Amino acid sequence: MSANSLPEGAAVWHSLEVDKALDLLDSNADSGLTPQEIQQRLQKYGPNELEENAGRSTWEILLDQFKNIMLLMLIGVALVSGFLDLMAWRAGDLKPGEVPFKDTIAIMAIVILNGILGYVQESRAEKALAALKKLTSPLVRVMRGGRLVEIAAKELVPGDVMLLEAGMQIAADGRLIEQSNLQVRESALTGEAEAVNKQATLKLPEETDLGDRINLVFQGTEVVQGRGKVLVTNTGMTTELGKIAAMLQAVESEPTPLQQRMTQLGNVLVTGSLILVTIVVGGGIIQARGFSNIQELLEVSLSMAVAVVPEGLPAVITVTLALGTQRMVRQNALIRKLPAVETLGSVTTICSDKTGTLTQNKMVVQSVFTNEKTFRVTGEGYVPTGNFQLDGQKIAVDEHPEISALLVACAVCNDSVLQQNNGQWTILGDPTEGALVTLAGKAGIEKDQWNSKLPRVAEFPFSSERKRMSVISQVEEVASGGSPLTAVDPAIAGFLKSERYLMFTKGSPELILGRSNLLYLGNHSASLTEEQRQQILVENDQMASKGLRVLGFAYKPLAEIPPENSDDTSEQNLVWLGLVGMLDAPRPEVRAAVQECRDAGIRPVMITGDHQLTARAIATDLGIAQEGDRVLTGQELQRMSDQELEQNVDLVSIYARVAPEHKLRIVQALQRRGRFVAMTGDGVNDAPALKQADIGIAMGITGTDVSKEASDMVLLDDNFATIVTATKEGRVVYTNIRRFIKYILGSNIGEVLTIAAAPLIGLGGVPLTPLQILWMNLVTDGLPALALAVEPPEPDVMKRPPFSPRESIFARGLGFYMIRIGIIFAIISISLMWWAYQHTHAAGYQRNPDTWKTMVFTTLCIAQMGHAIAIRSNNRLTIEMNPFSNIFVLAAVIVTTILQLMLVYVPPLRNFFGTHWLSPRELMICIGFSALMFVWVELEKLFLRFMGKRAV
């Protein structure tokens, strides 16, 4: 068979016999490929590497920042202002000491700063593919031309015969040819925590899930123990890892709700500004019956354009989001992308993995069945404290010798070690065996002590084919010096007659029971009846139906140590001890977090690679699902069309045995239903779904680099409850963003209307220069806005449904509030402007007649301080609030007022900003008019309270 006729990636390798797979790939299990075949296949399939799509360059990302409509308008304003300054400079019309182009320089500085802010946020390169590439092994051992050679992994081709041993990272996907006790850790790919026992001889059904294909190995996974010979079937982008890379690159990042709202805000502000400029310029030309005042109208237009753009808003939002990230880090949530802080507040659905996030990632024994009785066991994690309960009542273990005997078997037939470090109980070894050691410890049966009482002298190790493990121990006499019948521990005295050795066996309950013919009754053994066998099998099924992992235990007294490789004959005629059922127990704090989710209108969904019975048991226990709710498996999902999945996705809260592409499809189906999805994950397989989700959440402890790089947020404690806490913080951030947006834009509208009114009511000149407007937008608006961004949360923030992520920034009355407050601002400012103009142009006024402009400037700035104090609460009056509950607002108001007065009374600043000295009387009049803004907002609250309405 030539390279051109080789099968494409569609071959279902796990459903083929080894010989058939070798025939399809025209390879030889002993000699591998010839040099000629290797070259042909390298040309056909290319190198065994993950391919990367070209992304945006650094310059493209930077230039994209200046496509923002508000920044484009500011650039236009800067150019026109520079042109007018150039004309004035050439004509010699500049005032003494006036700095040319200062408005242009200031505006362009703001444009550049905003562009840099956007670039810094967006330029974090996606490193998920780079992290994927780290999972590929650099060197690999293969059979080529009948010789064992070591080659670079990128040179592998389909048909190569690859050799595996413990500690190796697998370099390509392949079909096992042969194996010896081979265990592979596939958690990064499938999400399964335990190493998988591989079997080469099996032929599996085509629909077998990825995690159950135990006759295949996959690129990026790790050999834990054993060795194997593998026929390479897929390389590069056709491997399971390559498919994930392709999915990852195919997922396009959507703008966050905040980014969409800011775009909408910019469009509305710029459109409104251009309409207003057109009206003012057109009205001025009509009023002057010509273009004689065109320069003055252009100056008015420039000031209006600068006034309408909230130059300080991007910086305020960035700082607000950064402060939110700091608060979240203290709650164990690390935010990788700033907009994700606010996005969290819009989440309607949280799709969570089970292991380690909803559960403790610690196996805990829940139930013990022995001597026809079922005992419930309490306790958490690996802490060896807990109670044994029978029919809901606590019992003493020493009153039930059959339990003690079973627990001795749990401790002795075990390779794990329970230890305490810095107050924390941890396990060295397999989590399942760790649960058994902990169980024994709860009854005071310590593994170290029993290892000395029953030292191990031989064993039959566990293997995937045997599905059991046996330990042979020598019975040590205690200090009394009696015979073995009386001098051994009472817990095992009933095991022995004259034998000096005990064999303890554990494994698959059906298999262990099938090899048992006696039943231990506490102090002696009796024949195992058929009725008792059926009862044990029924109990085993009941435990399994609750999602428990069940092990069977037995023992056998021996007169001598059995010979090696005699396991099949030695492990017969066992004495049955009982069943032990264990579960990766739920985190205790998650139940409350799930309930808080439901109170907040957020639906939790479990998506796991685990079995459906286990998934249902955990989900029901936590309140994620109810008894009888449907569980959708990966196989069922695979058969569904996208439309069918979309119809079912709102009805299913548990997904079990899912593959990587399933997670991605679930997220996409939820998004098509209009849901705003947060998705957790830790493995390589989760990366595409994490990137697709509106909020991708990676695990900080168990998560791979790939998942972290694809995520928006990393859970430092891998805890579901932390997601709920972060969601609450996101809601607080969004509420505060809305609060300071209405604060900033209310004043901006007032500024625009005041500037537009000046030429229309016949006042000479522009009341505010672009530089003064920039000062107001950046300083007198910016500092109090930052202070408003740290307002504490409202009490009911997690007692209401999430606001729609697609709602307009002007929704729920915010737009009407800004227009209303802007008009009030304008009425106050225009009234002051009219009076100040008459006052400074009256006969006998000794100072500069342009002083009226400084009075307007000062009034607008100080009025904002009153607005900042009043806007802290939508409903409570200022006198009803503790002024020190947000000390930052008080500090911002005081500092900003002092800075504003410095612009009026410090000569260098006065000259630079073009202001004029105000008399004490003029200043007090400005303060009096400014106070009307505070009074108005407080009166609005009283009116709304009287009408029984809640403010926006």
Side-chain angles (χ1 to χ4, degrees):
M1 184 183 289
S2 69
N4 292 329
S5 61
L6 288 174
E8 298 297 335
V12 189
W13 298 106
H14 58 275
S15 65
L16 302 178
E17 298 282 2
V18 173
D19 291 341
K20 178 65 174 174
L22 286 164
D23 287 344
L24 276 174
L25 288 169
D26 196 17
S27 184
N28 185 288
D30 298 318
S31 59
L33 299 173
T34 65
Q36 184 183 3
E37 289 172 326
I38 293 163
Q39 287 304 315
Q40 289 176 344
R41 297 185 189 197
L42 268 176
Q43 290 177 4
K44 176 176 174 62
Y45 294 103
N48 179 33
E49 291 180 323
L50 300 183
E51 300 167 7
E52 189 168 1
N53 294 338
R56 287 188 303 164
S57 69
T58 299
W59 284 109
E60 286 175 322
I61 295 172
L62 184 60
L63 288 174
D64 282 349
Q65 307 311 310
F66 299 98
K67 294 177 182 177
N68 179 289
I69 190 168
M70 290 194 287
L71 291 188
L72 287 173
M73 190 173 79
L74 281 180
I75 292 171
V77 168
L79 293 175
V80 175
S81 177
F83 175 75
L84 292 177
D85 277 0
L86 180 64
M87 298 294 290
W89 184 44
R90 284 187 171 180
D93 293 340
L94 291 177
K95 297 174 183 177
E98 184 177 355
V99 179
F101 308 113
K102 61 183 179 183
D103 290 342
T104 301
I105 293 168
I107 294 169
M108 287 307 297
I110 296 300
V111 168
I112 292 168
L113 280 173
N114 277 317
I116 291 172
L117 269 177
Y119 171 78
V120 168
Q121 284 191 46
E122 202 175 332
S123 64
R124 181 189 289 272
E126 286 299 337
K127 299 174 184 174
L129 196 65
L132 267 179
K133 287 182 175 180
K134 291 180 184 176
L135 294 177
T136 57
S137 177
L139 295 172
V140 63
R141 296 166 65 205
V142 295
M143 294 297 298
R144 285 187 168 180
R147 294 173 52 242
L148 178 62
V149 294
E150 192 170 63
I151 62 169
K154 66 179 182 179
E155 297 174 11
L156 277 174
V157 294
D160 261 323
V161 175
M162 178 171 59
L163 301 183
L164 303 179
E165 60 186 32
M168 288 183 62
Q169 205 165 44
I170 298 172
D173 289 4
R175 173 67 166 90
L176 276 168
I177 299 171
E178 60 185 54
Q179 109 289 330
S180 175
N181 200 26
L182 182 65
Q183 288 190 351
V184 179
R185 184 178 291 116
E186 298 179 346
S187 56
L189 190 67
T190 65
E192 292 281 4
E194 293 186 25
V196 179
N197 294 288
K198 296 292 183 178
Q199 296 185 49
T201 55
L202 290 181
K203 177 183 174 184
L204 300 171
E206 286 192 18
E207 65 274 10
T208 304
D209 291 324
L210 184 70
D212 295 328
R213 296 175 188 174
I214 58 176
N215 56 4
L216 301 184
V217 294
F218 304 103
Q219 184 183 33
T221 58
E222 181 186 354
V223 180
V224 177
Q225 71 176 44
R227 56 185 176 78
K229 182 186 282 189
V230 176
L231 172 68
V232 174
T233 55
N234 297 92
T235 59
M237 296 299 286
T238 64
T239 63
E240 293 298 327
L241 202 65
K243 292 174 187 175
I244 291 171
M247 285 192 287
L248 199 57
Q249 294 182 92
V251 174
E252 295 183 3
S253 298
E254 294 292 327
T256 68
L258 183 61
Q259 290 167 333
Q260 292 172 347
R261 287 163 181 151
M262 290 302 100
T263 300
Q264 179 199 27
L265 178 63
N267 292 338
V268 170
L269 290 179
V270 170
T271 303
S273 171
L274 292 175
I275 291 171
L276 202 54
V277 164
T278 302
I279 292 171
V280 170
V281 172
I285 292 172
I286 293 169
Q287 193 177 39
R289 297 183 179 178
F291 295 91
S292 57
N293 61 344
I294 189 65
Q295 183 170 346
E296 181 183 327
L297 290 173
L298 280 175
E299 290 174 355
V300 170
S301 300
L302 291 178
S303 294
M304 287 172 60
V306 175
V308 82
V309 177
E311 290 85 2
L313 187 59
V316 172
I317 287 177
T318 300
V319 172
T320 302
L321 296 176
L323 291 173
T325 65
Q326 290 181 4
R327 292 193 293 272
M328 287 184 182
V329 164
R330 290 195 287 271
Q331 301 289 338
N332 289 316
L334 175 66
I335 302 296
R336 293 187 64 254
K337 299 171 185 175
L338 269 186
V341 178
E342 178 273 338
T343 309
L344 274 162
S346 302
V347 165
T348 62
T349 307
I350 299 176
C351 296
S352 176
D353 194 10
K354 176 184 69 67
T355 304
T357 308
L358 296 170
T359 64
Q360 302 174 40
N361 200 16
K362 297 174 182 176
M363 298 298 284
V364 180
V365 173
Q366 308 278 309
S367 186
V368 171
F369 178 77
T370 182
N371 197 12
E372 302 181 2
K373 300 186 189 74
T374 301
F375 300 88
R376 183 175 176 273
V377 187
T378 66
E380 293 181 359
Y382 294 131
V383 181
T385 56
N387 298 321
F388 290 77
Q389 298 176 353
L390 180 62
D391 299 326
Q393 300 296 316
K394 179 182 174 183
I395 58 104
V397 173
D398 54 11
E399 296 176 0
H400 296 267
E402 66 274 19
I403 299 182
S404 298
L406 175 60
L407 299 186
V408 168
C410 290
V412 175
C413 189
N414 201 306
D415 291 325
S416 287
V417 177
L418 178 66
Q419 59 185 14
Q420 189 176 25
N421 294 319
N422 301 321
Q424 296 290 319
W425 289 93
T426 58
I427 280 292
L428 288 178
D430 181 73
T432 299
E433 292 198 326
L436 298 173
V437 177
T438 304
L439 172 69
K442 291 175 182 178
I445 295 174
E446 296 184 11
K447 185 174 186 291
D448 290 344
Q449 292 181 4
W450 279 92
N451 282 344
S452 62
K453 293 178 181 179
L454 295 171
R456 185 182 303 187
V457 292
E459 64 181 293
F460 298 125
F462 177 88
S463 73
S464 54
E465 293 90 351
R466 286 168 26 80
K467 295 184 179 179
R468 61 188 184 275
M469 165 190 181
S470 292
V471 167
I472 296 95
S473 298
Q474 182 175 339
V475 180
E476 293 286 335
E477 293 184 16
V478 294
S480 64
S483 72
L485 285 175
T486 59
V488 297
D489 193 287
I492 60 169
F495 287 177
L496 301 163
K497 292 181 181 177
S498 60
E499 298 86 0
R500 298 303 304 268
Y501 300 96
L502 280 173
M503 181 174 71
F504 294 99
T505 304
K506 73 177 181 201
S508 164
E510 296 91 344
L511 193 150
I512 302 295
L513 185 61
R515 290 173 172 264
S516 301
N517 62 355
L518 296 172
L519 174 68
Y520 188 68
L521 299 174
N523 50 20
H524 69 285
S525 57
S527 294
L528 184 61
T529 66
E530 187 60 32
E531 183 182 349
Q532 289 169 330
R533 286 181 188 274
Q534 291 306 313
Q535 185 182 5
I536 293 168
L537 291 172
V538 168
E539 184 64 29
N540 177 49
D541 291 342
Q542 287 181 351
M543 284 188 182
S545 69
K546 296 175 183 175
L548 300 183
R549 181 178 184 186
V550 189
L551 291 176
F553 286 81
Y555 80 93
K556 181 180 181 180
L558 299 171
E560 59 184 17
I561 300 173
E564 286 188 35
N565 302 319
S566 65
D567 51 302
D568 195 48
T569 55
S570 298
E571 293 171 334
Q572 296 287 356
N573 302 317
L574 303 177
V575 183
W576 177 261
L577 285 171
L579 297 169
V580 173
M582 65 191 72
L583 189 70
D584 182 5
R587 288 178 179 264
E589 66 274 19
V590 169
R591 290 184 187 87
V594 168
Q595 186 57 50
E596 190 174 7
C597 271
R598 296 204 176 280
D599 291 344
I602 301 169
R603 185 167 78 99
V605 174
M606 178 193 288
I607 304 178
T608 179
D610 214 334
H611 291 277
Q612 62 189 79
L613 291 175
T614 307
R616 186 197 296 276
I618 296 291
T620 305
D621 186 20
L622 291 174
I624 291 173
Q626 305 300 316
E627 286 286 352
D629 281 4
R630 183 182 180 186
V631 179
L632 195 63
T633 65
Q635 288 187 12
E636 293 172 318
L637 199 152
Q638 186 72 37
R639 292 192 290 267
M640 285 183 172
S641 66
D642 288 344
Q643 291 73 23
E644 289 173 325
L645 178 58
E646 193 176 329
Q647 291 168 2
N648 284 277
V649 78
D650 281 337
L651 307 174
V652 178
S653 295
I654 311 170
Y655 298 86
R657 304 303 283 169
V658 294
E661 60 271 19
H662 298 156
K663 294 185 178 185
L664 184 60
R665 285 185 65 200
I666 292 166
V667 171
Q668 290 171 334
L670 283 165
Q671 289 174 328
R672 287 195 297 273
R673 297 285 294 178
R675 308 294 176 253
F676 208 73
V677 185
M679 166 76 185
T680 73
D682 55 4
V684 173
N685 59 329
D686 296 320
L690 290 177
K691 192 174 179 184
Q692 175 69 44
D694 300 288
I695 289 287
I697 304 171
M699 302 296 109
I701 299 172
T702 60
T704 58
D705 289 344
V706 183
S707 64
K708 291 174 186 175
E709 291 296 344
S711 70
D712 303 291
M713 181 174 102
V714 178
L715 294 183
L716 300 180
D717 59 356
D718 290 9
N719 194 337
F720 179 85
T722 302
I723 305 173
V724 182
T725 303
T727 301
K728 177 180 179 181
E729 185 62 44
R731 291 189 176 191
V732 173
V733 167
Y734 179 49
T735 300
N736 286 341
I737 286 175
R738 279 175 58 90
R739 182 177 283 117
F740 64 64
I741 282 178
K742 68 181 183 180
Y743 165 75
I744 289 174
L745 294 185
S747 70
N748 281 24
I749 292 171
E751 292 168 22
V752 171
L753 294 176
T754 302
I755 295 166
L760 296 180
I761 62 176
L763 305 185
V766 184
L768 300 170
T769 66
L771 189 61
Q772 291 170 347
I773 295 167
L774 284 175
W775 169 266
M776 281 196 294
N777 288 354
L778 291 172
V779 181
T780 58
D781 285 355
L783 289 179
L786 280 175
L788 289 170
V790 294
E791 273 294 313
E794 300 169 10
D796 64 345
V797 68
M798 291 297 280
K799 297 293 183 184
R800 59 163 177 79
F803 296 126
S804 170
R806 289 158 189 84
E807 76 171 15
S808 162
I809 190 65
F810 305 109
R812 292 181 282 119
L814 186 64
F816 179 56
Y817 176 92
M818 292 187 302
I819 293 171
R820 185 174 73 245
I821 291 299
I823 290 171
I824 300 302
F825 246 114
I827 291 172
I828 293 170
S829 302
I830 292 167
S831 301
L832 177 280
M833 182 169 65
W834 175 260
W835 180 89
Y837 186 83
Q838 303 303 323
H839 166 68
T840 57
H841 286 77
Y845 188 76
Q846 299 296 318
R847 287 177 289 114
N848 193 314
D850 280 347
T851 302
W852 68 276
K853 298 179 181 179
T854 301
M855 291 184 71
V856 174
F857 180 35
T858 303
T859 300
L860 280 168
C861 290
I862 296 179
Q864 269 293 71
M865 300 305 99
H867 190 205
I869 293 171
I871 207 175
R872 282 189 59 201
S873 173
N874 296 328
N875 305 289
R876 287 183 293 167
L877 297 175
T878 302
I879 58 173
E880 296 172 340
M881 299 177 66
N882 179 0
F884 300 105
S885 61
N886 187 347
I887 193 68
F888 299 104
V889 169
L890 197 60
V893 166
I894 293 170
V895 169
T896 305
T897 303
I898 292 171
L899 290 173
Q900 178 62 30
L901 294 177
M902 288 174 66
L903 264 58
V904 176
Y905 295 108
V906 176
L909 292 175
R910 188 165 64 226
N911 293 336
F912 184 78
F913 281 91
T915 59
H916 301 280
W917 188 87
L918 297 180
S919 68
R921 175 172 174 262
E922 290 168 338
L923 180 61
M924 293 309 297
I925 289 170
C926 291
I927 292 172
F929 271 90
S930 299
L932 294 175
M933 188 70 245
F934 172 82
V935 172
W936 175 269
V937 177
E938 294 293 284
L939 287 174
E940 271 196 4
K941 294 178 188 176
L942 284 174
F943 175 75
L944 289 170
R945 184 180 295 182
F946 176 75
M947 297 297 292
K949 295 182 178 179
R950 185 175 177 86
V952 59

